[in-house]
């Protein structure tokens, strides 16, 4: 089994350096894929209320022969439940669907600046952590300014910010800000969600130099940036390959080659994107 290094978070807990994304799997697919992934050595699973597959993820964790304390289950608060009491209630619903006593990592899915209730949700997340119902709390799609505001108004920094990050969107400024604050960056859509990146000739050349696939080269790029990628694959062969990225090192030129492309987003702009 592949052994995965860990990150230590600003709250003292640890996360494995790579995890499995589960969007857009349904419950049945999530149960199958997460079970296969846990068996081959994945120890972090990324879901969300809005993926509508928490039940399947929970079933896979329950039936895996892996001790509960070795698995990091991440889920996320949806936009429709922003607010203090709403967050506490939404969390209980997630916890029930997952069938877990505690959740390892709970994230605010999007900041929704126009709604302007993410600070209230953050206060509820702090309470959930104090009560031991959540091990680590964090956010997703937050900008440095949103994170500064959480710190200013509550004194508590997120442990994690999960953002869109891939070679088309390397997030240099955000990564440098978060490194200074001790906030771990997780990369969503780490493979750029598709073939354009993985069929790129320059990426293929870097991969070939190491005898790996383009997806492995790209995931290795994330690891060396210090970001934690959560690639989604429903295919056991690709899942296995995606995890096997700890046995080679890209040099500076290869790191540059992978990110040397025109920048663009796949998903929404956190300043305006609304998802409930
Ligand atoms: N916080 C947020 O707002 C947010 C937003 C989007 C996503 N996410 C999270 O991030 C996870 C990953 O993002 P994503 O699913 O958008 O994109 P991704 O992981 O970059 O790409 C997934 C796509 O690549 C394919 N793939 C995976 N491994 C491959 C390989 N080795 N070779 C070739 N193709 C491969 C998958 O197909 P197969 O399944 O057929 O292998 C799937 O079509 C999601 O599942 C979700 O958990 C979070």
């Amino acid at each position: 089994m592949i052994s995965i290094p860990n990150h230590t978070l600003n709250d003292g807990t640890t996360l494995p350096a790579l995890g499995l994304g589960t969007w857009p799997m349904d419950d049945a697919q999530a149960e199958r894929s997460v079970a296969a992934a846990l068996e081959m050595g994945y120890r972090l699973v990324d879901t969300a209320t809005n993926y509508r597959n928490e039940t399947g993820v929970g079933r896979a964790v329950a039936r895996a022969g892996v001790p509960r304390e070795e698995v990091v289950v991440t889920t996320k608060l949806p936009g429709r439940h922003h607010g203090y009491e709403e967050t506490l209630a939404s969390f209980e619903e997630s916890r029930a669907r997952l069938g877990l006593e505690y959740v390892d990592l709970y994230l605010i899915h999007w900041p929704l600046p126009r709604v302007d209730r993410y600070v209230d949700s953050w206060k509820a997340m702090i309470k959930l952590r104090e009560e031991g119902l959540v091990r680590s709390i964090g956010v997703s799609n937050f900008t440095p300014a949103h994170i500064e505001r959480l710190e200013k108004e509550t004194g508590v920094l997120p442990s994690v910010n999960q953002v869109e990050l891939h070679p088309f969107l390397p997030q240099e400024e955000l990564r440098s800000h978060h490194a200074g604050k001790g906030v771990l960056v997780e990369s969503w859509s780490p493979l750029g969600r598709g073939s354009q990146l993985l069929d790129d000739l320059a990426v293929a050349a870097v991969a070939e130099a190491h005898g790996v696939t383009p997806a492995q080269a790209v995931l290795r790029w994330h690891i060396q940036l210090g970001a934690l990628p959560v690639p989604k694959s429903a295919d056991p062969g690709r899942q296995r390959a995606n995890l096997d990225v700890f046995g080679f090192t890209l040099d500076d030129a290869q790191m540059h080659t992978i990110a040397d492309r025109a920048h663009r987003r796949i998903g929404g702009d956190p300043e305006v994107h609304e998802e409930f």
Side-chain angles (χ1 to χ4, degrees), residues 21-23 46 51 76 109-110 140-141 162 188-193 198 215 230-234 238 242:
T22 66
W23 177 85
D46 185 74
Y51 300 171
K76 312 189 191 85
H109 205 148
W110 286 89
S140 178
N141 300 301
Q162 183 184 108
W188 64 254
S189 294
L191 299 172
R193 208 180 274 170
L198 303 181
V230 289
K232 174 264 174 185
S233 181
R238 287 191 286 278
N242 292 349

Side-chain angles (χ1 to χ4, degrees), residues 19-25 33 42 45-48 51 53 76 107-110 139-141 162-166 186-195 197-199 213-216 218-219 222 229-242 266-268 273 275:
L20 181 77
T22 66
W23 177 85
M25 298 175 188
S33 295
Y42 280 82
V45 181
D46 185 74
T47 181
Y51 300 171
N53 63 16
K76 312 189 191 85
L107 310 180
I108 301 178
H109 205 148
W110 286 89
V139 294
S140 178
N141 300 301
Q162 183 184 108
V163 297
E164 180 178 347
L165 201 172
H166 43 69
E186 286 191 345
S187 314
W188 64 254
S189 294
L191 299 172
R193 208 180 274 170
S195 57
L197 181 65
L198 303 181
D199 291 345
T213 66
Q216 287 173 309
V218 171
L219 292 169
H222 288 270
V230 289
K232 174 264 174 185
S233 181
D235 174 82
R238 287 191 286 278
Q239 282 183 352
R240 194 180 300 280
N242 292 349
I266 293 173
H273 181 77
E275 182 175 304

Side-chain angles (χ1 to χ4, degrees), residues 31 44 59 109 118-120 139 141 155 166 180 185 209 226 235-236 242:
E31 184 175 350
L44 186 151
R59 284 192 187 131
H109 205 148
Y118 65 79
V119 177
D120 292 336
V139 294
N141 300 301
H166 43 69
V185 175
D235 174 82
N242 292 349

Side-chain angles (χ1 to χ4, degrees), residues 198-218:
L198 303 181
D199 291 345
D200 182 273
L201 291 179
V203 174
V206 170
E208 208 179 317
H210 291 279
V212 299
T213 66
Q216 287 173 309
V218 171

Side-chain angles (χ1 to χ4, degrees), residues 6-19:
N6 280 325
H7 291 284
T8 300
L9 302 182
N10 60 17
D11 61 13
T13 64
T14 59
L15 295 186
L18 186 146

